[in-house]
Amino acid sequence: AETAPQAVPGAPSVELQNVHFGYESDEEVLHGLSFAVQKGEQVTLTGRTGAGKSTVFKLVLGLYAPRRGTVRIQGVDPRSLTGPQRRALYGYVEQRFHPVPGTVRDQITLYDDTITEGQVRRAAELAGLAEAIGALPQGYDTPCTPDIFSQGQWQLLSIARAVAADPKLLLLDEITANLDAETERAVLRALKRAAADRTVLSISHRVGADTGRLIPIGEES
């Protein structure tokens, strides 16, 4: 069997070195971007709309390759990782939850049978969803349909999915952008629990006191 890339001990959680990137033939969005996020740090990417914050995430997730420069997650090229290896290294919470066919448990595990029942339940507790799932007709075995959760609960489910494999890095992409104030508070509380003892790299449209170190994107002159 092919050997899995191993996280490099002591390497930054996320590191970009002199990264240049543009979509296909378009002009560059990123021009020589470099930054490192160390283990345990909470860092937020800031910048105007279109500055390249989401592009940075796509590079970190291994969806694109830089034109020049290097991108590493815990010392490893993200494009070399398989799905299960990715989930062991990082959890990704998007703006909208993308359900998969199957049960509530399947939404959390994404069919990864190495994730134990204990991990599934811990992830749900961390996300503040254990009670809501317990109230469903078949609990974690309830088939998922669009009406079983509220919008906020779907977002909490995305947090449970991200932390299920107990990764040390969380990537958060404007996850409260489409939520009302009350739902946002519930999601931020869950996030605070999920972020404990983890490194967090986030994109946020609002910068508050708890967003950690700020990295401006797209402000090179």
Side-chain angles (χ1 to χ4, degrees):
E2 190 183 338
T3 54
Q6 294 295 311
V8 178
S13 290
V14 177
E15 186 173 27
L16 276 69
Q17 290 188 330
N18 194 32
V19 167
H20 292 255
F21 180 81
Y23 293 96
E24 294 176 357
S25 60
D26 292 351
E27 61 183 79
E28 286 190 344
V29 181
L30 303 173
H31 327 277
L33 180 64
S34 297
F35 68 83
V37 180
Q38 303 300 332
K39 182 181 175 184
E41 263 199 299
Q42 303 221 350
V43 169
T44 300
L45 304 181
T46 65
R48 59 180 171 73
T49 302
K53 302 186 298 294
S54 293
T55 300
V56 172
F57 257 43
K58 287 171 183 168
L59 291 165
V60 170
L61 290 164
L63 301 176
Y64 292 102
R67 286 181 179 175
R68 296 210 306 281
T70 57
V71 179
R72 296 288 181 266
I73 287 188
Q74 292 178 32
V76 178
D77 183 340
R79 288 171 301 140
S80 69
L81 299 168
T82 65
Q85 289 162 4
R86 282 192 166 95
R87 296 197 77 198
L89 283 180
Y90 61 80
Y92 176 41
V93 186
E94 301 177 71
Q95 282 185 32
R96 287 182 183 78
F97 185 80
H98 298 287
V100 295
T103 63
V104 172
R105 180 184 290 101
D106 294 330
Q107 308 309 314
I108 297 174
T109 66
L110 290 176
Y111 317 124
D112 182 348
D113 55 16
T114 66
I115 294 173
T116 66
E117 185 67 14
Q119 284 177 303
V120 168
R121 288 174 184 271
R122 268 196 305 279
E125 295 247 349
L126 209 56
L129 264 185
E131 200 175 311
I133 294 171
L136 292 171
Q138 296 161 264
Y140 290 87
D141 295 314
T142 305
C144 240
T145 54
D147 57 344
I148 66 169
F149 292 124
S150 67
Q151 184 191 8
Q153 287 173 326
W154 285 114
Q155 192 61 301
L156 293 175
L157 194 59
S158 70
I159 294 173
R161 176 188 281 180
V163 299
D166 200 25
K168 294 300 170 219
L169 170 66
L170 280 183
L171 300 166
L172 313 175
D173 189 358
E174 295 212 55
I175 66 166
T176 60
N178 304 304
L179 304 178
D180 62 69
E182 188 180 340
T183 307
E184 179 175 349
R185 280 194 293 275
V187 169
L188 290 175
R189 280 197 299 273
L191 209 51
K192 197 165 188 178
R193 292 191 295 271
D197 304 318
R198 290 188 169 93
T199 310
V200 180
L201 177 62
S202 58
I203 294 174
S204 181
H205 62 304
R206 284 203 305 276
V207 174
D210 57 351
T211 45
R213 178 162 65 97
L214 305 181
I215 297 178
I217 302 298
E219 293 179 14
E220 303 90 348
S221 53

